[in-house]
Amino acid sequence: VSQSRYAGESSSVALVSASMAQEASMAKTITLWTIDDVAARFSDAAHTSYRLPPVRVQGYASPWMSLARQVPNRYPAPERVYRPMPPEPEAVERMLETMRWVQWLEEEQRHLVWMRAKRYEWHQIGRRFACDRNTAARRWKKAMELIGERLNARLHTLSPDDTLGHA
C-alpha cells in the first residue's frame, strides 16, 4: 500500500516541476502591446466606468422624498433605472491604470480615444472632430500606436518579474 502511494506522489511532483519550468519560460517571454490590446483595455475601462456607482453630493438630505413615498397613490410609479453590478476592484485598478495612459495623449486624442472606447461609430466621431471617418480612424490608430510604443518601452526597462501583469 505504501509503495503505490509513493509512486503517485512522484508523478505529481514531476507534473509540478514541469509546470514550474513552463511558468519560468513564460516569465522570460515579454509580450508586446499591440493596437488591439490597447484598444481592448480602453474599451474595458469605458465599461468599468459605466458600472461605477453614480457620484452624489454628501451631507445634504431632504425629507421631501420620504414624504412623497408615504403617499404612493398620489404620484405615478417612477420608472426604475437599473444599473449594472459594480465592478470588481481589479477592474477599477485596470481602469485607473488606463486613465494614466491617457495623459500621454493630446486633448483631442483623448476625446477621440474615449469616444471610440465608448463604441461611438466612426461617422459620429468624424462629425465631432470635423473630419472624415477614415481620418478619424487614422488618428485613433496613431494614438493607439503612441500608447503601445510607450507601454512597450516601459516593458523593456522592467525586469521579467514585473511583466507578469500584462494580459
Side-chain angles (χ1 to χ4, degrees):
V1 174
S2 62
Q3 291 176 351
S4 64
R5 189 179 98 197
Y6 291 125
E9 286 180 4
S10 66
S11 64
S12 65
V13 169
L15 288 174
V16 169
S17 64
S19 66
M20 288 175 60
Q22 184 180 11
E23 287 176 13
S25 67
M26 287 175 54
K28 293 178 184 176
T29 304
I30 296 176
T31 306
L32 297 178
W33 287 87
T34 63
I35 292 173
D36 294 333
D37 294 336
V38 176
R41 184 65 82 90
F42 273 103
S43 180
D44 183 46
H47 182 68
T48 301
S49 71
Y50 173 74
R51 292 173 47 197
L52 289 173
V55 177
R56 298 187 182 169
V57 178
Q58 299 293 321
Y60 295 100
S62 173
W64 172 244
M65 285 309 293
S66 63
L67 292 174
R69 288 189 182 125
Q70 290 175 0
V71 189
N73 296 333
R74 293 187 184 177
Y75 301 100
E79 291 186 26
R80 299 256 183 220
V81 177
Y82 291 100
R83 302 271 314 158
M85 295 294 292
E88 298 84 27
E90 296 83 18
V92 174
E93 288 297 321
R94 285 191 308 271
M95 180 191 72
L96 292 175
E97 179 186 12
T98 306
M99 291 299 103
R100 285 190 290 272
W101 299 348
V102 172
Q103 295 175 355
W104 298 334
L105 301 173
E106 299 292 327
E107 187 174 350
E108 289 291 317
Q109 289 176 321
R110 294 175 189 176
H111 289 290
L112 172 68
V113 166
W114 197 245
M115 284 181 74
R116 189 60 186 164
K118 287 184 168 184
R119 299 186 179 167
Y120 280 85
E121 294 183 15
W122 285 118
H123 71 274
Q124 293 172 318
I125 296 172
R127 192 176 311 135
R128 158 67 169 82
F129 292 100
C131 64
D132 187 55
R133 60 185 176 86
N134 295 328
T135 304
R138 281 193 303 269
R139 291 177 183 172
W140 174 82
K141 186 176 180 181
K142 182 65 180 166
M144 293 291 109
E145 287 174 351
L146 178 73
I147 292 173
E149 289 171 4
R150 293 281 302 258
L151 290 171
N152 290 333
R154 276 190 0 183
L155 281 177
H156 292 300
T157 60
L158 297 174
S159 68
D161 295 333
D162 295 336
T163 61
L164 293 177
H166 173 53

